[in-house]
Amino acid sequence: LPLISILSVYPVKFIGDKFKCKCLLISFTIILILLSFAYQIKYITMPLSHLEEAKECRVYHRFVISHIKDFDKSCIFISHVSSIYNVNNRNSIQIWYANENPKFLKNKSCVILDYGYWCKTTDHGDICDNMLKTYNHTLLYESDEVNGKKYKFYELFPNNYTN
């Protein structure tokens, strides 16, 4: 649709040049803009409850927010979505960084793995499982099941490698 909107400038310019009438040019432009919105209106008005990914993300967000207060402020959260912790004044790092730099976690007293939404996807789940295989860990919290998925918090013990 954006490509169509961009290309619609050419017919508008052609009509404007041909008729030398600015009111026709403006009217035609407004009609094209309205048609673009009319095409998308069914997606704009769709309730969030109809979007499964949005439902799962809301459950995940509520799970994180409901438990974040239970952790000491000195804890470091390892997550695909580290920003959720940053906006809540908590320390966090991206999971890929923690996976590639295990020395960063050494001597940390509180390391929490957020086994969240992205750990349940086929594209990103391996890195989460690798973290659990690399470190001794304890399950701290587990969410209710949503569409076959449970979100979890694990405490990792980086000073005690399992490998």
Side-chain angles (χ1 to χ4, degrees):
L1 186 66
L3 182 60
I4 292 170
S5 298
I6 292 169
L7 293 176
S8 67
V9 170
Y10 293 107
V12 169
K13 183 175 178 345
F14 174 75
I15 290 170
D17 291 345
K18 180 112 173 141
F19 296 102
K20 302 288 184 207
C21 175
K22 298 298 177 196
C23 63
L24 182 62
L25 177 65
I26 292 170
S27 300
F28 191 67
T29 304
I30 291 172
I31 289 170
L32 286 175
I33 291 170
L34 290 175
L35 285 174
S36 331
F37 280 108
Y39 175 77
Q40 293 293 322
I41 198 73
K42 64 183 174 187
Y43 301 110
I44 294 171
T45 59
M46 184 179 290
L48 289 177
S49 61
H50 288 73
L51 303 172
E52 283 305 310
E53 183 178 288
K55 178 181 177 183
E56 291 174 19
C57 288
R58 284 192 305 277
V59 169
Y60 165 68
H61 185 266
R62 281 193 297 269
F63 172 70
V64 169
I65 297 303
S66 69
H67 290 294
I68 201 169
K69 64 186 177 312
D70 299 336
F71 295 101
D72 190 86
K73 287 204 176 209
S74 66
C75 291
I76 295 178
F77 291 87
I78 301 171
S79 175
H80 279 97
V81 188
S82 58
S83 60
I84 196 170
Y85 299 100
N86 295 347
V87 298
N88 285 285
N89 292 327
R90 300 303 172 122
N91 301 311
S92 66
I93 58 173
Q94 290 279 323
I95 194 167
W96 62 267
Y97 183 83
N99 190 55
E100 293 176 9
N101 300 288
K103 289 181 183 177
F104 178 80
L105 299 176
K106 196 157 180 74
N107 299 322
K108 303 289 189 227
S109 61
C110 180
V111 178
I112 307 299
L113 174 64
D114 172 357
Y115 201 89
Y117 177 81
W118 291 107
C119 289
K120 301 297 184 175
T121 64
T122 55
D123 295 342
H124 303 285
D126 291 345
I127 195 168
C128 302
D129 293 334
N130 185 53
M131 294 295 288
L132 293 176
K133 288 177 190 168
T134 302
Y135 302 105
N136 289 327
H137 56 275
T138 301
L139 176 64
L140 300 175
Y141 296 103
E142 184 175 50
S143 73
D144 295 332
E145 190 170 313
V146 177
N147 294 338
K149 297 177 179 123
K150 288 185 177 185
Y151 308 118
K152 303 171 186 178
F153 281 120
Y154 289 96
E155 183 172 10
L156 301 182
F157 302 99
N159 295 326
N160 301 314
Y161 291 105
T162 58
N163 292 349

